[in-house]
Amino acid sequence: MDPIAAYRRGLELIRQGAGEDAILHGCGAPMLPSLGLVEIMRVSPDVAPTLMPRSGDLSQPSQLGARLAGAAREFLHARWWVNDPDCIIVRPDVEAREDWAAHIEATGGLRGSSDPLAALDEWGLRTTRRLMVPTRTDPS
């Protein structure tokens, strides 16, 4: 069995074990081989509190890398799966937090926050509340 077939068979076994009602979330998973086997897929590298990755490599955690990859893969939302653009981070020490919030607001998909609520200022709390709502389910 070739590697892609083995991967797909593994996901099929996970699906079988978890049951048809389970929702599988691919995160860091190969996209094309996961098609039809996951309901949610991370479509970007991890977000970080910094705009640029410390290493300079856009595949590493940063807002810029996550925004670029997420925007380029936005067309997949509601066509192949529910996109996961990564979590909402809007606490005061997050660089360019307004830009990251605008990216999350513009994309469809999974919504989650990783900020401790106590770390949010008034703008951050208001923005988190606004963004933590279900998003569109139709392709744009």
Side-chain angles (χ1 to χ4, degrees):
M1 182 177 291
D2 67 75
I4 292 174
Y7 171 78
R8 288 189 60 83
R9 181 65 182 134
L11 274 182
E12 290 166 356
L13 290 171
I14 291 169
R15 163 71 61 213
Q16 182 181 4
E20 287 301 318
D21 292 336
I23 295 173
L24 297 185
H25 185 170
C27 187
M31 289 188 176
L32 286 175
S34 300
L35 188 58
L37 296 171
V38 300
E39 287 78 24
I40 303 169
M41 178 64 79
R42 173 69 69 78
V43 292
S44 68
D46 289 341
V47 69
T50 56
L51 180 61
M52 299 298 293
R54 290 192 177 108
S55 68
D57 177 354
L58 283 180
S59 71
Q60 297 303 304
S62 73
Q63 288 178 50
L64 182 59
R67 283 197 326 242
L68 291 172
R73 294 173 175 153
E74 177 61 18
F75 75 97
L76 301 173
H77 178 65
R79 286 184 174 89
W80 288 8
W81 43 55
V82 171
N83 279 0
D84 172 5
D86 209 356
C87 55
I88 300 164
I89 55 169
V90 293
R91 61 190 180 272
D93 65 328
V94 172
E95 293 176 15
R97 65 184 184 158
E98 296 86 358
D99 294 336
W100 180 249
H103 169 71
I104 294 294
E105 190 163 31
T107 61
L110 185 69
R111 297 282 174 91
S113 173
S114 71
D115 287 324
L117 292 178
L120 295 173
D121 58 6
E122 186 178 322
W123 182 89
L125 189 56
R126 195 171 56 250
T127 301
T128 299
R129 284 184 176 140
R130 187 180 80 247
L131 296 177
M132 287 294 294
V133 297
T135 65
R136 64 182 166 69
T137 57
D138 59 313
S140 60

